[in-house]
Structure formats: C-alpha cells, structure tokens
Amino acid sequence: QVDVEMAFCTAKDVQNVMERVVQEAWASCGLTLPPAPFRRVTFTEVMTRYGSDKPDTRFGMEIQNLTTALASTQARVLAKKPDDTDFTVQGICARGLGHLADKKVDPKIQDEAKRGGSGGAVVIAVDEAGRLVSPIVKFFSEIEKAALLSTCTTPSSMYLYCFI
C-alpha cells in the first residue's frame, strides 16, 4: 500500500506519479518493467468488459454481449421477452475447457449468476473440431451458431457461459 499526499492535482497527475512509483518498485525488485504509459480503462468500460473493477486480464475472459446474435433464437431460455427492455444474454469464453462439453453448469455458477441478477447460466462448449456442444444447440439456426463461434477469437476448445 502506498499513501500519497498531493494537493491541487488532477486524476492524471496521480496516475502519472503512481506509474513512476510502480516502475521504481518493480525496478528495485529486478522485475521487467511494465510498459508506460499504463493502460487506462474507465470504470464503466472495465465493468462492462470484465464484470469487475479489478479484472485479471491475463486470460482474455471478457464478457461478450450475445443478445444480438441470439435475437431471434428458438431457444426460449435465451429468447428476449417482448416486455423486457433490459434483457441481455452475455457470455464469457473460457478457453481450453471444451473437453467439459458433457458437464452441466456447476450449481455454484448458477447460484452466483442468480445472485448477480441473472436468470441463470447455460453452458455451450466448443469441441476440438469447432462444433458447439450443448443440449440447447439444437434450437440454434446456422446463423446463430456461426455468430456464437465468432464471439471468441479462439473458439477451439472453449467453454461459453451464457448468462441470461
């Protein structure tokens, strides 16, 4: 923890000072310095992309809005209700977990999704051959399948959690 006292400064002033402090601390530990300037993301952007104000960006698990891709789906659980203006379907791609295709959604994930205001979670895996694997896939059109596969930049062997 670093406490900084600064007067008559802007947010950019504080960011610049903290950037130098972090680089000095890393250098004193013999670590490779992160490139400057540090990436800056607004609170709204980070919450929209990661769902957390302290995301771990190493794994590329950004939230993807799938509402448009599934706008006319026959899968009722993922279909927008006519009177629900706030309805969205969002997904998180978890690469390398496609082998879990036959697994059901962990009850803890379902509970967490509901606690976060979601209606629940649906799991769609992409196997090594690049095919969607889930009981719900039978309700998707070819266009919807293609849209889901294009959601993640590396769809091979991924696990897609769809939060409704």
Side-chain angles (χ1 to χ4, degrees), residues 70 72-79 136 138-141 144:
L70 298 172
S72 57
T73 188
Q74 297 302 307
R76 287 188 300 187
V77 70
L78 298 175
I136 203 164
K138 64 186 170 196
F139 298 106
F140 295 155
S141 69
E144 290 166 338

Side-chain angles (χ1 to χ4, degrees), residues 1 14 17 20 43 45 49 57 62 75 82 86-88 159:
Q1 176 177 328
V14 175
V17 167
R20 288 195 308 271
F43 178 78
E45 182 182 356
R49 289 174 61 188
T57 59
E62 292 187 29
D86 294 329
F87 181 84
T88 61
Y159 210 44

Side-chain angles (χ1 to χ4, degrees), residues 6-43:
M6 298 173 71
F8 309 108
C9 60
T10 65
K12 186 136 181 97
D13 293 333
V14 175
Q15 291 168 346
N16 289 336
V17 167
M18 293 312 299
E19 193 170 274
R20 288 195 308 271
V21 168
V22 168
Q23 287 186 315
E24 286 293 322
W26 283 42
S28 69
C29 293
L31 300 172
T32 302
L33 300 181
F38 293 171
R39 190 175 96 189
R40 290 173 171 84
V41 184
T42 66
F43 178 78

